[in-house]
Amino acid sequence: MALLAKPFSFLYHSLPLITILVTFALPANCADFTNLVYKGCANQNFQDPSGVYSQNLKNLFDTLVSQSSQKGFSTSTSGDSQASITGLYQCRGDLTTAQCYTCVSKIPETVEKLCGKVIAARVQLSGCYLKYEVIGFKQASETDLLYKVCGSTQASGTEFEQRRDSAFNAVVSGVQSGNGSFYTGAYESVFVLGQCEGDLSRSDCGNCVKSAVESVKTQCSDSISAQVYLNKCYISYSYYPNGVASISSASGVGTRQHTQRTVAIAVGGVAALGFLIVCLMFVKSVAKKRRGKHDGWN
């Protein structure tokens, strides 16, 4: 049985109230990239006596789902003038196009079930997310914090901080130099994953991930695992003392070698193992204590 956090509402600037729902699955389903992570729904419904907004939203969903069978990120707009709706989807960088399509195709039904006919919504699954909004809906900044989970177990000593910070440096460098602004790798006993929205430049992506790193340090302190979602990027990490990989680096050259080697390891299969480890450790920590904060969203 999934653990379900109680929904709650908050004000985002002058926008309508947004309701957030968080769902965590059992470890057996943790590798399922279609599990719900969180959702945000505007409290304002379409004023739609003619049905034009509903039709535009359906057309938008159909277009985005179709595009997800070909690529991992895409944007689209449906409708004309004041009735137009814009949206996008993003799949995790290690999913195949078939997996991306499977993930994205589940979101329209999820939006309908959990949000109804609202003027803006965002649904994040484990392997992808989709968001849409009517024209004129106020935008959040790229680095607004949408959602976080901090592991309840705290590490002690400087060794953990040094390893975690080295992994953070690797993910910031990796998203700027990698393919599709996605990076996953392991530094000694820390597995880390990061990704930016597909329309960000490499420089903006690096700055966004740096902000996510600072949010982790501020919001989660010395938690041995965490997930932080900003408006345009996210990171997750897990400290696993028994090790998912062991790569040491003591210089700038070593760091570059580490980045290259961890990318190769990820391609070889450690990414899947590490992501499963992240999931298992989060489920364990969330079962003890659930914490979530939603400071910005669009």
Side-chain angles (χ1 to χ4, degrees):
M1 179 180 295
L3 296 174
L4 185 62
K6 294 181 179 179
F8 63 93
S9 299
F10 66 96
L11 281 172
Y12 169 60
H13 300 303
S14 60
L15 301 183
L17 286 172
I18 306 296
T19 302
I20 301 295
L21 176 69
V22 182
T23 304
F24 295 93
L26 287 171
N29 295 326
C30 202
D32 186 353
F33 47 83
T34 62
N35 284 338
L36 178 65
V37 178
Y38 72 88
K39 61 96 174 175
C41 310
N43 273 7
Q44 183 179 345
N45 291 331
F46 291 121
Q47 300 299 314
D48 195 24
S50 66
V52 63
Y53 282 106
S54 296
Q55 186 59 50
N56 287 343
L57 183 59
K58 181 182 183 303
N59 292 342
L60 176 68
F61 283 159
D62 289 346
T63 298
L64 293 176
V65 169
S66 176
Q67 290 173 342
S68 70
S69 66
Q70 304 173 39
K71 50 189 175 181
F73 170 80
S74 187
T75 65
S76 186
T77 299
S78 177
D80 299 320
S81 187
Q82 296 301 313
S84 64
I85 305 175
T86 184
L88 63 82
Y89 71 85
Q90 171 108 42
C91 289
R92 208 173 65 221
D94 56 348
L95 297 189
T96 66
T97 52
Q99 290 172 325
C100 181
Y101 173 79
T102 298
C103 189
V104 174
S105 64
K106 290 186 177 296
I107 294 182
E109 181 181 358
T110 303
V111 171
E112 176 69 24
K113 180 179 179 180
L114 299 180
C115 298
K117 300 295 185 181
V118 293
I119 63 172
R122 180 177 183 133
V123 170
Q124 174 80 53
L125 305 185
S126 297
C128 65
Y129 69 88
L130 184 151
K131 63 180 180 179
Y132 74 86
E133 60 197 37
V134 297
I135 187 170
F137 193 80
K138 189 171 182 179
Q139 298 289 313
S141 74
E142 294 178 353
T143 57
D144 277 356
L145 176 63
L146 302 184
Y147 170 72
K148 69 176 176 69
V149 172
C150 305
S152 60
T153 303
Q154 300 286 305
S156 59
T158 59
E159 183 178 272
F160 162 71
E161 291 184 3
Q162 291 172 349
R163 292 180 177 183
R164 184 195 62 181
D165 290 350
S166 294
F168 285 164
N169 290 337
V171 74
V172 170
S173 175
V175 295
Q176 295 181 93
S177 59
N179 182 24
S181 300
F182 174 78
Y183 175 89
T184 183
Y187 186 90
E188 295 186 351
S189 300
V190 180
F191 178 85
V192 65
L193 182 151
Q195 186 170 19
C196 295
E197 201 162 277
D199 56 358
L200 284 188
S201 68
R202 290 187 176 186
S203 175
D204 288 341
C205 178
N207 290 333
C208 187
V209 171
K210 287 178 183 177
S211 295
V213 167
E214 292 306 312
S215 293
V216 166
K217 293 180 179 180
T218 301
Q219 301 288 336
C220 298
S221 186
D222 291 329
S223 294
I224 66 170
S225 57
Q227 289 178 322
V228 168
Y229 292 84
L230 305 187
N231 186 34
K232 291 282 190 175
C233 66
Y234 71 92
I235 63 171
S236 66
Y237 76 91
S238 181
Y239 177 53
Y240 193 67
N242 291 332
V244 294
S246 180
I247 302 174
S248 60
S249 172
S251 67
V253 174
T255 300
R256 288 192 293 272
Q257 292 173 342
H258 157 70
T259 300
Q260 294 168 355
R261 291 177 64 188
T262 51
V263 170
I265 290 171
V267 173
V270 171
L273 173 62
F275 181 71
L276 180 59
I277 291 168
V278 172
C279 289
L280 293 174
M281 297 191 73
F282 275 124
V283 170
K284 180 180 178 182
S285 64
V286 170
K288 298 178 181 178
K289 182 178 181 181
R290 298 192 301 273
R291 295 171 58 192
K293 183 175 181 181
H294 313 264
D295 290 330
W297 175 86
N298 77 313

